[in-house]
Amino acid sequence: MTFNNEDKDISIKKYSVIENIIYVLKHAFKNDKMLPFLFVANVIFSASMSFIWTFFTKIIIDSIQNGSQIKDVVFTVIICAGIQLFCVLLNTYTSNNLWWRFIRARMLICYIRINKCLEMDYELLETPKMLDIHQKALDATGGNDNGVEGLMRTSRSTIMNIVLLIAAAGVMLVANPLIILVIIGLGILNFIFFDFSKKYDKKNVWDALAPLWRKNDYFYYSSTDFSCAKDIRLFSLQKWFSKKYEDVQNIIHSKISLSKKIWSLCTCFNTFFAVVQEGCLYAWLIYSYLNEGMSIGNFTLYLGIVRTFFQCIK
């Protein structure tokens, strides 16, 4: 954001989500040398947790079908359980050392931004445009899952899902490339509609609500402040005040209702594509098992991979 002190104009430079994530992670990793290693390790172990028992189940089933002795099967189960326990412990350790580092990184970045804000022209703080920007910032950064900390958490889960998607798609691509191409095509259409819905909702609902939230707060605090209440009674402003408050509430309600309609339509659209995608994969899986001699172990493996694949997409 840049400021022109001569004409008190405010110009806003917009950044993409990727640019914001890079900015946040760059400052976070710079201020905490252990954070990059814990971040990468947590992504790896969290992703492996989703696949590990799927492969172990295939190994155990194949071992039983091949007529292995009981002691060999038990030994295989013990080895698999030991590897699983090792991954769980490391995943728990990295997770417990990430959450408080995210909070500390958020505080450090906020400190940097506050120092920059202290250097701005304070006359700009009362302009409607600046107040709208402030309201949007409050809406976007409230809570641990939004703003700076939200970007760090989102980047972690996004990278983990990308790793899982690539691994799952790679395994299924070996078995049936055509199915994966169909799934990717449907996924692209699904993403285009979702991205359009998100941008339309932001522009026509939440950006438009920024000045209305400020008006709503003003009416609320004025109606609960004794000094304002005295003036309202003295000048008989009760009906006028109530009507203005009601108008603001009606507009807010209409905007939020529009948002609900947008996402209801988007959910129906996404559900339709999800049903088609899952139907294609499960149909191929069942057909391969019944007609192409797929083993029970491979059937279990692909079934687990399909579930993981769609969990990542969702």
Side-chain angles (χ1 to χ4, degrees):
M1 185 183 302
T2 58
F3 308 99
N4 188 336
N5 290 328
E6 293 181 359
D7 55 3
K8 307 302 179 188
D9 188 22
I10 304 171
S11 58
I12 304 172
K13 182 178 180 181
K14 296 183 178 180
Y15 296 91
S16 66
V17 175
I18 300 298
E19 289 175 321
N20 286 326
I21 289 176
I22 292 173
Y23 172 83
V24 168
L25 292 180
K26 178 181 176 182
H27 282 274
F29 292 165
K30 180 180 178 181
N31 293 305
D32 190 337
K33 302 303 181 183
M34 281 296 296
L35 185 56
F37 301 103
L38 292 170
F39 188 91
V40 173
N42 184 256
V43 168
I44 294 173
F45 287 114
S46 296
S48 65
M49 294 287 294
S50 301
F51 275 124
I52 196 166
W53 267 116
T54 301
F55 285 97
F56 287 168
T57 303
K58 169 184 164 47
I59 293 172
I60 294 170
I61 291 175
D62 286 345
S63 178
I64 295 173
Q65 281 192 312
N66 292 332
S68 300
Q69 296 183 358
I70 296 296
K71 64 177 183 179
D72 294 331
V73 175
V74 171
F75 180 75
T76 302
V77 172
I78 292 174
I79 294 297
C80 293
I83 296 173
Q84 173 77 1
L85 179 61
F86 176 75
C87 292
V88 168
L89 291 175
L90 287 179
N91 183 55
T92 303
Y93 173 79
T94 54
S95 297
N96 288 339
N97 280 275
L98 271 183
W99 68 267
W100 62 268
R101 293 177 188 272
F102 284 163
I103 296 175
R104 186 174 68 174
R106 181 188 73 188
M107 297 304 175
L108 290 171
I109 294 174
C110 287
Y111 175 76
I112 295 171
R113 305 308 298 176
I114 289 172
N115 282 340
K116 184 174 181 179
C117 289
L118 291 175
E119 298 174 358
M120 65 177 285
D121 188 346
Y122 268 49
E123 293 182 29
L124 294 171
L125 290 177
E126 295 300 323
T127 61
K129 192 171 184 180
M130 175 57 74
L131 292 173
D132 287 347
I133 294 170
H134 176 256
Q135 184 63 52
K136 293 176 185 178
L138 288 176
D139 295 339
T141 58
N144 290 349
D145 293 329
N146 296 324
V148 173
E149 191 176 344
L151 285 174
M152 286 187 282
R153 297 182 186 277
T154 301
S155 62
R156 172 196 163 277
S157 59
T158 301
I159 293 173
M160 184 184 72
N161 284 335
I162 290 174
V163 171
L164 288 173
L165 279 173
I166 293 174
V171 174
M172 290 187 291
L173 189 63
V174 174
N176 193 325
L178 180 61
I179 287 292
I180 294 301
L181 292 176
V182 172
I183 297 303
I184 291 174
L186 293 174
I188 292 173
L189 291 176
N190 198 358
F191 173 78
I192 291 173
F193 191 81
F194 174 82
D195 188 60
F196 172 79
S197 300
K198 182 178 66 175
K199 291 179 179 178
Y200 186 87
D201 183 54
K202 178 182 181 300
K203 179 180 179 181
N204 294 279
V205 177
W206 299 107
D207 284 351
L209 279 175
L212 294 170
W213 290 129
R214 291 193 292 107
K215 290 181 180 180
N216 182 73
D217 291 342
Y218 170 79
F219 281 117
Y220 174 78
Y221 289 115
S222 296
S223 63
T224 55
D225 185 88
F226 285 107
S227 60
C228 295
K230 180 181 177 181
D231 292 334
I232 292 172
R233 291 195 307 271
L234 180 63
F235 296 103
S236 300
L237 298 174
Q238 295 94 328
K239 292 184 179 180
W240 178 88
F241 191 89
S242 298
K243 181 66 169 58
K244 289 292 185 181
Y245 197 12
E246 182 180 353
D247 291 342
V248 171
Q249 290 294 321
N250 288 336
I251 298 174
I252 291 175
H253 181 266
S254 65
K255 292 292 185 182
I256 294 178
S257 297
L258 175 61
S259 180
K260 296 292 184 183
K261 292 177 182 178
I262 293 170
W263 289 111
S264 294
L265 180 61
C266 184
T267 300
C268 293
F269 196 84
N270 291 344
T271 301
F272 169 76
F273 275 102
V275 169
V276 175
Q277 286 175 317
E278 292 195 41
C280 291
L281 278 174
Y282 283 116
W284 161 72
L285 200 58
I286 294 172
Y287 177 83
S288 298
Y289 176 72
L290 294 176
N291 299 299
E292 296 183 357
M294 180 183 288
S295 66
I296 297 177
N298 285 336
F299 180 84
T300 305
L301 173 65
Y302 286 121
L303 183 63
I305 289 175
V306 167
R307 289 174 179 171
T308 302
F309 184 83
F310 283 108
Q311 285 176 357
C312 295
I313 292 178
K314 295 176 182 178

